[in-house]
């Protein structure tokens, strides 16, 4: 159980939510795990199947407290809101910004978070493994990313921003192989490729990015935003463009570092992958299950959120960022604060 920005997150899959007077009560079996006054809440997000009492659902609807349900793995199930909940106005604001230059400011902040975090992944490698990597090559790439940050902050158009982002991503992935410290023969990385991935590293990156995109889509659904209307990624039927915008900040620090951990700690091996006749490399079923299990463990690890200054689980970070974007769109924040990790 964790309360952030007036939203209660119930992360235990065995919890049942009930109403006691003016309080929401979290129960596991017959034991009470916690309670909070309803008047302190704007929303409740539950990662579990046991559900909510009808009395609590009615009280939340009456007080315009949104109830959002996800699976324990973070897949969005449903959202229950009261009659006067302002999601329509929030989405109208989102659609309005999508058509205006203000969308460039949000996109710039998302890309600032992406490049800042990618740079600090490289800086962390220099700090911790300088004797095992080509330090000069990685340090040069880090300096390029530092310069890219300045250009991104002053970009004047979406095309210009995409150009700077693409160049920075190329520089980052150009030294990504240096961060692979173990099993170099089985997990050599020569550059980013997809549809299909042509090596085991790219297969894991693509799979993990999909897991992250699904989590971000669920987070945006929970706060009432439309995941399919983004600011940087263009509209395409069936593509969650806003989720792709928002997950950019977390690719390197959450997904990429997770893949590196799988390799460097030898959680996966070359035997977990097979190469198809068309050159595509795919994960075997056992490897996929293993990676999903490790992903769930990683999401439970706790960090200090740089903007909130509070400890949160990695799995909650996408929900916090979605909530911060919603607050910016409602006018509660002067700008959208990207996730900046060190």
């Amino acid at each position: 159980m964790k309360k952030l920005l007036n939203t209660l997150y119930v992360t235990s899959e065995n919890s049942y939510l009930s109403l006691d007077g003016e309080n929401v009560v979290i129960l596991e079996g017959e034991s009470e795990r916690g309670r909070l006054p309803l008047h302190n809440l704007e929303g409740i997000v539950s990662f579990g199947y046991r559900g909510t009492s009808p009395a609590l659902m009615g009280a939340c609807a009456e007080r315009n407290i949104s109830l959002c349900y996800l699976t324990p793995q973070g897949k969005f199930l449903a959202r229950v809101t009261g009659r006067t909940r302002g999601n329509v106005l929030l989405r109208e604001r989102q659609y309005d910004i999508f058509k205006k230059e203000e969308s460039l400011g949000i996109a710039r902040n998302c890309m600032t978070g992406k490049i800042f975090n990618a740079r600090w992944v490289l800086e962390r490698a220099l700090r911790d493994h300088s004797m095992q990597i080509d330090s000069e090559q990685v340090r040069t790439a880090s300096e390029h990313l530092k310069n890219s940050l300045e250009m991104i902050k002053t970009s004047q158009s979406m095309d210009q921003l995409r150009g700077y982002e693409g160049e920075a991503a190329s520089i980052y992935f150009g030294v990504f192989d240096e961060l692979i410290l173990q099993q170099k023969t089985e997990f050599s990385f020569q550059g980013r490729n997809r549809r299909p991935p042509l090596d085991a590293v790219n297969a894991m990156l693509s799979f993990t990015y999909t897991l992250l995109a699904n989590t971000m889509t669920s987070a945006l659904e929970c706060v009432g935003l439309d995941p399919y209307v983004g600011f940087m990624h263009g509209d395409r039927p069936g593509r969650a463009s806003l989720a792709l915008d928002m997950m950019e900040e977390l690719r390197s620090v959450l997904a990429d570092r997770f893949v590196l951990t799988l390799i460097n700690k030898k959680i996966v091996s070359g035997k977990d992958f097979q190469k198809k006749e068309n050159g595509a490399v795919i994960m075997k079923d056992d490897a996929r299950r293993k990676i999903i299990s490790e992903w769930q463990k990683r999401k439970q690890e706790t960090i200090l959120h740089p903007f909130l200054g509070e400890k949160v689980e990695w799995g909650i970070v996408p929900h916090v960022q979605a909530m911060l974007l919603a607050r910016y769109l409602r006018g509660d924040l002067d700008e959208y604060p990207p996730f900046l990790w060190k």
Side-chain angles (χ1 to χ4, degrees), residues 246-259:
M246 298 288 290
M247 69 177 274
E248 293 288 0
E249 305 164 32
L250 302 177
R251 282 182 187 264
S252 59
V253 291
L254 184 50
D256 296 355
R257 291 178 71 240
F258 171 71
V259 169

Side-chain angles (χ1 to χ4, degrees), residues 139-275:
R139 189 172 289 107
T140 299
S142 177
E143 284 300 311
H144 277 298
L145 295 184
K146 183 179 179 180
N147 294 334
S148 295
L149 281 172
E150 296 304 316
M151 292 187 288
I152 283 172
K153 291 176 183 177
T154 58
S155 54
Q156 298 300 308
S157 70
M158 204 66 76
D159 286 340
Q160 191 177 52
L161 178 61
R162 292 189 184 103
Y164 292 148
E165 182 271 335
E167 181 182 3
S170 177
I171 291 169
Y172 167 73
F173 280 120
V175 297
F176 193 75
D177 189 61
E178 291 295 321
L179 309 185
I180 300 173
L181 308 177
Q182 302 290 334
Q183 308 186 87
K184 296 287 286 189
T185 302
E186 297 91 337
F187 294 101
S188 175
F189 181 83
Q190 301 303 318
R192 184 77 178 107
N193 53 67
R194 51 198 180 275
R195 302 189 192 96
L198 302 178
D199 57 66
V201 180
N202 275 291
M204 286 191 289
L205 286 174
S206 293
F207 183 65
T208 307
Y209 290 160
T210 299
L211 295 176
L212 180 56
N214 290 338
T215 299
M216 185 58 76
T217 300
S218 295
L220 293 166
E221 291 275 12
C222 285
V223 298
L225 288 168
D226 188 339
Y228 294 90
V229 178
F231 302 115
M232 182 170 175
H233 288 84
D235 284 348
R236 184 184 300 170
R239 182 168 77 171
S241 297
L242 183 57
L244 296 178
D245 287 349
M246 298 288 290
M247 69 177 274
E248 293 288 0
E249 305 164 32
L250 302 177
R251 282 182 187 264
S252 59
V253 291
L254 184 50
D256 296 355
R257 291 178 71 240
F258 171 71
V259 169
L260 290 170
T261 296
L262 293 175
I263 298 170
N264 292 335
K265 290 190 174 182
K266 300 183 179 180
I267 297 170
V268 296
S269 70
K271 296 178 181 179
D272 290 319
F273 301 84
Q274 65 182 77
K275 193 164 189 174

Side-chain angles (χ1 to χ4, degrees), residues 21-244:
E22 292 294 311
N23 300 294
V24 54
V25 180
I26 298 91
L27 301 171
E28 286 195 19
E30 300 298 321
S31 301
E32 180 178 318
R33 296 298 301 273
R35 64 172 55 214
L36 280 172
L38 283 175
H39 68 262
N40 287 339
L41 297 176
E42 293 180 0
I44 299 172
V45 179
S46 176
F47 293 77
Y49 291 120
R50 290 196 61 202
T52 305
S53 71
L56 178 60
M57 292 181 68
C60 288
E62 182 181 349
R63 293 164 176 78
N64 299 320
I65 299 170
S66 69
L67 272 168
C68 189
Y69 298 97
L70 298 91
T71 69
Q73 292 74 38
K75 182 181 179 181
F76 178 78
L77 293 173
R79 185 177 66 251
V80 180
T81 61
R83 288 173 295 179
T84 59
R85 182 69 178 172
N87 287 338
V88 171
L89 297 179
L90 178 62
R91 292 195 185 211
E92 283 183 351
R93 172 70 171 145
Q94 177 188 357
Y95 301 148
D96 186 48
I97 287 181
F98 168 72
K99 302 173 184 177
K100 295 182 177 179
E101 290 187 4
E102 192 175 349
S103 63
L104 178 61
I106 298 174
R108 271 199 301 251
N109 283 11
C110 289
M111 292 305 105
T112 295
K114 175 179 182 175
I115 306 308
F116 181 95
N117 292 334
R119 178 173 180 249
W120 278 101
V121 168
L122 301 185
E123 288 293 317
R124 182 71 67 92
L126 287 168
R127 187 193 72 183
D128 296 341
H129 307 292
S130 60
M131 302 299 293
Q132 297 173 265
I133 64 177
D134 186 335
S135 297
E136 188 60 34
Q137 185 181 11
V138 174
R139 189 172 289 107
T140 299
S142 177
E143 284 300 311
H144 277 298
L145 295 184
K146 183 179 179 180
N147 294 334
S148 295
L149 281 172
E150 296 304 316
M151 292 187 288
I152 283 172
K153 291 176 183 177
T154 58
S155 54
Q156 298 300 308
S157 70
M158 204 66 76
D159 286 340
Q160 191 177 52
L161 178 61
R162 292 189 184 103
Y164 292 148
E165 182 271 335
E167 181 182 3
S170 177
I171 291 169
Y172 167 73
F173 280 120
V175 297
F176 193 75
D177 189 61
E178 291 295 321
L179 309 185
I180 300 173
L181 308 177
Q182 302 290 334
Q183 308 186 87
K184 296 287 286 189
T185 302
E186 297 91 337
F187 294 101
S188 175
F189 181 83
Q190 301 303 318
R192 184 77 178 107
N193 53 67
R194 51 198 180 275
R195 302 189 192 96
L198 302 178
D199 57 66
V201 180
N202 275 291
M204 286 191 289
L205 286 174
S206 293
F207 183 65
T208 307
Y209 290 160
T210 299
L211 295 176
L212 180 56
N214 290 338
T215 299
M216 185 58 76
T217 300
S218 295
L220 293 166
E221 291 275 12
C222 285
V223 298
L225 288 168
D226 188 339
Y228 294 90
V229 178
F231 302 115
M232 182 170 175
H233 288 84
D235 284 348
R236 184 184 300 170
R239 182 168 77 171
S241 297
L242 183 57
L244 296 178

